[in-house]
C-alpha cells in the first residue's frame, strides 16, 4: 500500500514528465491486494485501469509499471503502445492477463470467454488445462468499476456466467463516481443489488477499504469458486482518493465535503491503526513507508532513463505470422465426381476441422443440433460432435464475438457465427475494441485466433435487415482479416486457412451463392477439394481471361470484383467474348494488390465492381489506389459500379433489383469503358 501511495505521489510531482493519461489505485489498495494475494499462476485476471496496486500484489515491480506509464520500449505489457495499468502478461510465475482496454466494462465478455474456455478444456481433459501447484483449479477474476456495470455488455457476461456456472469472480470496486457522474445520477441500484436479478450469481458486499476483512472474504470466495460454486460478484465499497485520471482532476467536479468523506476511509491509516493495536511499532511502519518511497523514486528515475521505442517498429505485431502461405492439397480431386454447393463446402471444412482438432468449437445463434443454422450451414455438426462443441448462444452478438478473445487466450479455437451481416453492429464494440487490437496492443502476446462467419448479401427479397453488404465497415477496423469466397472450392480452402491463421478472420459468405439458386451462379458449385486443401488468404484468381490478341491490341478491359460480383461480371462478359478479364479477389484483406495492379497494367481499362452502396466504399478506395499505382498505364479513368446509395436494401424485389448491380448494368459499364 505504501508503494502504491508513493507511486501516486511521484506521478503527481512529475506531471510534466508523466504526460500520458493515467489513473492510480489510491483508495482502492486494500481490496486490490486482498484479491491479488489469493491468485495462483494457473489463474487469469482482467484488471481495469485503476488496478496498479493489484498488479503490485501480483508481483510486478514499480519499475515494470512505470515503463508502461512512460510508454517505454521495455514495457513488457505493450512495448509503449498502451496506457498505464493496461497490462497483458503470459508467464509461469503469475496469473495470465489478456490485453486490457480502456473501454469501460468491455473486459467482462473476454474474461467470461476465458472462463468458458477453461470449463471446456477441463470437460475434455485437455492437456491445455493447467492447475495450481497443489492441484488448485484455475479461476478468472474480472475487475470492474461500479459505473461500468450499467454497460449492456456486462449484463451479457453475467448472463453467460450464470447460465454455464463459470469459474469467474466479478470484482466491482464501487467508489460512487463514474468520472463526474455519481451513482445517484446514473442508476437505481448498486452492483450487489443488480446482481440479485441474475439467478445463480453468488454475491457479497464488503468494505473494500478494510484490508483484513477484505482478505478474509476473498479467501472464502476464491475457495468456493475453485470448488465450482461460481460465478461470484464481490462489491467492494472503496473511497476515491486520487483523480479520475491525471487529466481529469478531482478538483474540477468534487466538493470539499465529498473529498473529506472519502479521505475518512483511506485504507492505509485503517491498516496502520489495526497493526498498532497488534503491537506493531510506529517506527516499523514508518520505515516501511520510507523504504517504499526510496524504492519508488529509484525505479522512477530508472524508468525515465529507459529507451523509447524505435519508430521503425511501429508496425510490428499487427498480426501474428500465419503458417499458411501456399496453396496445398488437391482443389479438384479426380476421385470426386459431383459438384458441391458453397454452403456444403463450409460445412465439410468445419467438420474436418472438428475431427482433427479437439480444441475447436462452434457456437452462435441457432447453430446447434436442433436447427444447424438458419441456412443449414452447420447441419449435422451438433449431432456428430456433441452439444459441448457445437452449441447455441443467446441473442448476444457482443458475447459471440468478444468471448473469442478469452477462448483463444486459453487455447480453445472458436468458429463463431453472426446470423446475418445486418446484426453484427451490437458486436462491433468487441470486434474493434478487443478482438482487433489485442495482438498489437499486447505486443504480440495475445493474437485472437477466431473464425467469424457472417452471411451477407442481397437476393430475392431478403429485405432491409437480411441483405447488407458490410465489407467497407469491416475493412475500416485494422487488425482483422477478411475473406470473401465466391465458389465452393474457395470456401473450403479459405475456411481452412482462416482456422489455421492465428489471427481473427471474418468469412463473408454471400447467402445468394450458398445454393446457386440465383440464375447465372451455377459455377459457384465446384468439385469438393481434398481434405488437406488449403488456400492462403490474400491470393486472388483470374476467373476469366481475355484473349492475348485483344489485350495486345488494346481492345480489352478487366473487372476487379468479388462475391456475387464475379457472376455479374462473368455473365456480362459473354457480350464481349475474349475482351474481358475478371479478377476474383477472394480476400479483401490482405488484398492481392500484385494481381490487381499487374492485371490493370495489362489492360489499361478497369472496372471495380461491388454489391455495396458505391459512395465511400471499399471499391472506390481500391479505385483510388489503382489510379495512384497504375496511372501511366491507364487508357481511361478507373470506373466503379456499385449499388445505389440507399440506407438499406428494400424488400420489394423490383426495388431491390433497381438498387443492385446486375449483369445488364455491368455490361453497360463495360461498353462505356471499352468505347472510351
Amino acid at each position: 500500500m505504501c508503494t502504491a501511495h508513493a507511486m501516486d505521489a511521484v506521478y503527481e510531482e512529475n506531471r510534466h514528465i508523466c504526460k500520458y493519461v493515467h489513473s492510480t489505485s489510491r483508495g482502492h489498495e486494500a481490496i486490490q491486494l486482498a484479491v491479488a494475494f489469493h491468485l495462483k499462476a494457473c489463474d487469469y485476471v482482467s484488471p481495469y485501469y485503476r488496478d496498479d496496486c493489484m498488479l503490485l500484489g501480483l508481483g510486478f515491480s514499480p519499475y515494470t509499471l512505470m515503463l508502461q506509464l512512460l510508454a517505454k520500449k521495455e514495457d513488457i505489457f505493450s512495448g509503449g503502445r498502451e496506457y498505464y495499468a493496461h497490462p497483458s502478461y503470459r508467464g509461469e510465475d503469475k496469473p495470465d492477463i489478456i490485453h486490457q482496454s480502456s473501454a469501460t466494462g468491455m473486459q467482462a465478455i473476454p474474461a467470461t470467454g476465458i472462463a468458458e474456455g477453461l470449463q471446456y478444456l477441463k470437460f475434455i481433459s485437455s492437456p491445455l488445462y493447467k492447475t495450481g501447484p497443489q492441484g488448485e483449479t484455475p479461476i478468472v477474476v474480472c475487475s470492474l468499476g461500479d459505473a461500468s456495470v450499467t454497460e449492456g455488455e456486462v449484463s451479457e457476461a453475467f448472463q453467460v456466467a450464470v447460465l454455464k456456472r463459470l469459474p469467474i469472480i466479478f470484482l466491482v470496486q464501487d467508489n460512487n463516481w463514474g468520472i463526474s457522474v455519481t451513482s445517484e445520477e446514473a442508476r437505481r441500484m448498486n452492483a450487489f443489488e443488480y446482481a440479485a436479478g441474475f439467478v445463480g450469481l453468488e454475491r457479497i458486499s464488503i468494505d473494500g477499504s478494510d484490508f483484513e476483512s477484505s482478505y478474509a472474504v476473498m479467501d472464502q470466495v476464491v475457495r468456493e469458486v475453485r470448488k465450482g460454486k461460481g460465478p461470484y460478484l464481490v462489491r467492494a465499497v472503496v473511497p476515491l482518493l486520487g483523480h479520475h485520471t491525471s487529466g481529469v482532476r478531482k478538483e474540477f467536479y468534487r466538493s470539499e465535503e465529498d473529498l473529506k468523506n472519502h479521505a475518512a476511509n483511506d485504507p492505509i491509516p485503517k491498516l496502520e491503526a489495526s497493526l498498532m493495536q497488534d503491537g506493531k511499532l510506529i517506527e516499523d511502519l514508518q520505515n516501511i513507508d520510507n523504504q517504499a518511497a526510496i524504492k519508488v523514486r529509484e525505479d522512477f528515475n530508472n524508468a525515465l532513463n529507459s529507451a523509447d521505442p524505435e519508430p521503425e517498429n511501429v508496425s510490428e505485431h499487427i498480426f501474428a505470422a500465419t503458417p499458411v502461405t501456399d496453396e496445398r492439397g488437391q482443389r479438384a480431386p479426380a476421385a470426386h465426381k459431383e459438384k458441391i454447393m458453397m454452403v456444403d463446402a463450409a460445412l465439410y471444412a468445419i467438420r474436418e476441422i472438428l475431427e482433427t482438432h479437439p480444441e475447436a468449437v462452434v457456437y452462435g445463434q441457432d447453430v446447434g443440433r436442433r436447427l444447424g443454422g438458419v441456412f443449414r450451414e452447420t447441419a449435422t455438426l451438433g449431432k456428430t460432435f456433441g452439444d459441448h462443441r457445437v452449441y447455441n448462444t443467446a441473442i448476444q452478438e457482443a458475447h459471440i464475438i468478444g468471448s473469442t478473445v478469452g477462448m483463444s487466450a486459453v487455447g480453445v479455437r472458436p468458429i463463431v457465427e453472426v446470423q446475418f451481416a445486418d446484426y453484427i453492429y451490437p458486436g462491433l464494440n468487441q470486434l474493434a475494441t478487443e478482438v482487433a487490437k489485442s495482438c498489437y496492443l499486447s505486443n504480440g502476446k495475445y493474437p485472437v485466433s477466431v473464425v467469424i462467419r457472417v452471411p451477407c448479401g442481397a437476393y430475392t427479397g431478403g429485405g432491409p435487415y437480411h441483405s447488407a453488404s458490410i465489407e467497407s465497415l469491416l475493412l475500416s477496423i485494422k487488425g482483422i482479416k477478411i475473406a470473401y469466397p465466391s465458389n465452393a472450392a474457395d470456401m473450403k480452402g479459405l475456411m481452412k486457412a482462416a482456422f489455421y491463421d492465428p489471427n481473427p478472420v471474418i468469412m463473408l459468405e454471400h447467402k445468394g451463392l450458398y445454393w446457386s439458386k440465383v440464375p447465372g451462379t451455377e459455377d459457384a458449385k465446384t468439385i469438393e477439394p481434398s481434405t488437406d486443401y488449403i488456400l492462403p488468404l490474400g491470393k486472388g484468381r483470374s476467373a476469366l481471361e481475355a484473349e492475348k490478341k485483344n489485350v495486345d491490341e488494346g481492345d480489352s478491359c478487366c473487372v476487379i470484383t468479388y462475391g456475387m460480383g464475379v457472376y455479374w461480371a462473368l455473365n456480362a462478359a459473354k457480350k464481349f467474348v475474349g475482351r474481358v478479364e475478371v479478377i476474383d479477389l477472394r480476400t479483401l484483406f490482405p488484398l492481392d494488390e500484385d494481381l490487381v495492379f499487374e492485371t490493370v497494367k495489362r489492360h489499361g481499362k478497369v472496372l471495380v465492381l461491388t454489391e455495396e452502396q458505391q459512395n465511400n466504399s471499399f471499391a472506390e478506395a481500391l479505385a483510388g489506389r489503382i489510379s495512384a499505382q497504375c496511372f501511366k498505364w491507364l487508357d481511361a479513368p478507373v470506373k466503379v459500379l456499385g449499388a445505389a446509395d440507399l440506407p438499406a436494401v428494400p424488400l420489394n424485389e423490383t426495388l431491390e433489383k433497381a438498387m443492385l448491380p446486375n449483369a445488364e448494368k455491368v455490361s453497360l459499364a463495360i461498353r462505356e469503358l471499352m468505347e472510351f
Side-chain angles (χ1 to χ4, degrees):
M1 286 187 186
C2 292
T3 300
H5 190 187
M7 289 161 65
D8 179 78
V10 167
Y11 302 165
E12 192 66 15
E13 290 170 16
N14 293 275
R15 282 182 62 193
H16 63 294
I17 296 173
C18 304
K19 58 185 178 181
Y20 302 111
V21 174
H22 58 272
S23 299
T24 69
S25 58
R26 279 298 288 128
H28 295 226
E29 299 94 337
I31 183 59
Q32 290 182 16
L33 291 173
V35 171
F37 291 161
H38 285 97
L39 297 181
K40 308 291 184 182
C42 62
D43 296 327
Y44 290 79
V45 59
S46 285
Y48 87 124
Y49 58 80
R50 201 175 293 284
D51 278 343
D52 60 351
C53 198
M54 183 183 292
L55 297 174
L56 292 173
L58 293 174
F60 294 103
S61 69
Y63 175 72
T64 296
L65 303 187
M66 291 167 180
L67 288 172
Q68 188 170 52
L69 172 82
L70 300 169
K72 295 294 188 176
K73 174 184 176 180
E74 299 304 323
D75 160 30
I76 66 168
F77 302 135
S78 71
R81 297 172 177 181
E82 185 57 285
Y83 299 109
Y84 178 65
H86 285 60
S88 56
Y89 183 76
R90 278 191 189 273
E92 300 297 325
D93 60 330
K94 300 178 182 67
D96 282 349
I97 307 172
I98 61 174
H99 164 252
Q100 301 301 304
S101 73
S102 286
T104 56
M106 294 306 98
Q107 70 270 37
I109 287 177
T112 304
I114 296 174
E116 280 187 88
L118 291 173
Q119 186 181 71
Y120 173 73
L121 294 175
K122 182 179 182 181
F123 183 82
I124 66 170
S125 301
S126 171
L128 296 173
Y129 185 77
K130 306 296 184 184
T131 57
Q134 306 301 320
E136 298 95 341
T137 58
I139 64 169
V140 182
V141 172
C142 176
S143 179
L144 301 157
D146 57 301
S148 72
V149 177
T150 56
E151 289 275 11
E153 293 181 25
V154 174
S155 75
E156 289 193 22
F158 288 176
Q159 289 275 8
V160 173
V162 296
L163 178 67
K164 299 195 170 188
R165 298 191 60 81
L166 296 177
I168 187 169
I169 299 168
F170 297 102
L171 169 67
V172 179
Q173 299 176 57
D174 189 345
N175 61 28
N176 190 57
W177 286 99
I179 308 184
S180 68
V181 180
T182 65
S183 59
E184 290 78 13
E185 292 175 272
R187 52 193 179 276
R188 289 299 299 261
M189 64 196 81
N190 62 47
F192 174 79
E193 295 163 338
Y194 181 57
F198 296 89
V199 177
L201 182 57
E202 300 294 329
R203 61 198 175 109
I204 189 169
S205 185
I206 63 173
D207 178 0
S209 67
D210 185 323
F211 173 77
E212 290 166 306
S213 64
S214 295
Y215 186 90
V217 167
M218 291 312 305
D219 182 62
Q220 174 194 349
V221 169
V222 168
R223 287 176 186 273
E224 290 190 12
V225 176
R226 290 201 196 279
K227 292 176 182 177
K229 297 181 180 179
Y232 226 110
L233 182 138
V234 176
R235 177 203 177 217
V237 180
V238 291
L240 178 59
L241 303 182
H243 306 284
H244 168 66
T245 67
S246 55
V248 182
R249 317 288 292 172
K250 57 188 177 184
E251 59 267 20
F252 292 174
Y253 57 90
R254 295 177 67 183
S255 67
E256 287 298 324
E257 181 182 7
D258 176 73
L259 293 170
K260 183 178 178 181
N261 289 338
H262 279 249
N265 284 316
D266 189 333
I268 296 177
K270 278 190 175 183
L271 184 55
E272 285 179 338
S274 176
L275 292 171
M276 289 294 289
Q277 289 178 359
D278 289 344
K280 190 80 171 174
L281 296 177
I282 188 66
E283 291 84 358
D284 292 338
L285 298 178
Q286 188 61 54
N287 185 54
I288 290 171
D289 196 20
N290 291 339
Q291 291 300 315
I294 291 170
K295 171 65 173 172
V296 164
R297 291 185 183 279
E298 179 182 308
D299 281 5
F300 183 76
N301 288 329
N302 289 336
L304 192 59
N305 292 319
S306 179
D308 287 324
E310 289 94 355
E312 58 267 25
N313 296 331
V314 69
S315 296
E316 290 182 349
H317 304 303
I318 299 172
F319 294 108
T322 177
V324 181
T325 56
D326 299 301
E327 188 171 2
R328 301 196 300 270
Q330 293 180 284
R331 184 176 174 89
H336 295 178
K337 303 299 183 184
E338 295 185 5
K339 291 184 177 182
I340 63 169
M341 297 180 292
M342 270 184 62
V343 70
D344 287 336
L347 174 66
Y348 300 160
I350 295 173
R351 183 179 64 194
E352 290 167 2
I353 288 168
L354 292 172
E355 287 171 345
T356 307
H357 300 281
E359 70 276 16
V361 296
V362 177
Y363 58 93
Q365 297 168 33
D366 297 302
V367 304
R369 71 165 68 214
R370 197 171 296 114
L371 182 61
V374 293
F375 301 108
R376 304 295 288 157
E377 68 278 16
T378 56
T380 73
L381 293 181
K383 292 179 181 178
T384 303
F385 297 100
D387 296 336
H388 65 296
R389 295 192 70 191
V390 182
Y391 54 90
N392 295 325
T393 66
I395 304 173
Q396 295 180 329
E397 289 82 3
H399 173 78
I400 291 168
I401 291 174
S403 62
T404 66
V405 177
M407 285 277 208
S408 176
V410 301
V412 179
R413 301 291 298 277
I415 301 170
V416 302
E417 181 182 309
V418 173
Q419 202 162 71
F420 291 92
D422 310 73
Y423 300 136
I424 200 171
Y425 297 96
L428 284 182
N429 199 357
Q430 288 291 324
L431 182 64
T433 304
E434 307 295 339
V435 175
K437 292 180 172 63
S438 181
C439 185
Y440 184 69
L441 293 181
S442 70
N443 224 21
K445 291 188 294 296
Y446 285 102
V448 180
S449 181
V450 59
V451 180
I452 303 173
R453 300 184 64 188
V454 183
C456 63
Y459 81 108
T460 60
Y465 294 102
H466 296 81
S467 305
S469 294
I470 57 169
E471 50 265 33
S472 294
L473 174 73
L474 296 175
L475 286 162
S476 70
I477 302 171
K478 311 308 174 188
I480 57 177
K481 299 183 180 183
I482 301 172
Y484 202 141
S486 68
N487 59 69
D490 288 349
M491 172 71 87
K492 187 172 183 183
L494 290 171
M495 187 71 76
K496 292 285 186 75
F499 178 78
Y500 289 112
D501 197 304
N503 303 288
V505 182
I506 293 180
M507 294 286 295
L508 291 176
E509 304 174 13
H510 199 297
K511 57 189 189 294
L513 299 177
Y514 268 157
W515 305 279
S516 293
K517 289 182 178 179
V518 177
T521 64
E522 293 79 10
D523 286 343
K525 297 179 183 178
T526 70
I527 296 293
E528 182 187 359
S530 61
T531 300
D532 62 346
Y533 179 66
I534 191 163
L535 179 63
L537 303 175
K539 299 293 184 184
R541 71 179 179 108
S542 179
L544 176 68
E545 293 184 359
E547 293 178 7
K548 185 176 185 302
K549 176 177 176 292
N550 294 328
V551 176
D552 292 343
E553 292 175 356
D555 187 26
S556 68
C557 73
C558 60
V559 181
I560 311 297
T561 188
Y562 54 95
M564 186 64 79
V566 173
Y567 299 96
W568 294 330
L570 290 174
N571 285 292
K574 292 176 182 177
K575 296 183 178 181
F576 308 89
V577 177
R579 300 169 65 194
V580 177
E581 181 166 2
V582 178
I583 295 298
D584 180 358
L585 294 174
R586 302 200 288 198
T587 306
L588 305 186
F589 191 91
L591 182 68
D592 194 345
E593 288 188 343
D594 289 343
L595 176 62
V596 170
F597 297 155
E598 288 168 7
T599 305
V600 171
K601 290 174 183 178
R602 226 174 23 253
H603 295 277
K605 303 185 189 76
V606 56
L607 168 66
V608 183
L609 174 62
T610 180
E611 183 173 326
E612 278 195 298
Q613 291 90 330
Q614 182 172 325
N615 280 6
N616 305 313
S617 64
F618 159 69
E620 286 198 333
L622 178 55
R625 285 151 72 183
I626 290 171
S627 295
Q629 294 295 323
C630 305
F631 182 75
K632 66 182 180 180
W633 287 274
L634 292 175
D635 298 323
V638 178
K639 194 171 185 63
V640 180
L641 177 62
D645 293 303
L646 307 178
V649 180
L651 180 63
N652 179 275
E653 288 189 47
T654 301
L655 297 179
E656 178 191 77
K657 183 178 179 181
M659 177 190 182
L660 296 176
N662 55 35
E664 198 174 310
K665 294 177 184 178
V666 175
S667 294
L668 291 174
I670 291 175
R671 189 170 302 283
E672 290 175 6
L673 193 61
M674 299 285 274
E675 292 174 352
F676 194 88

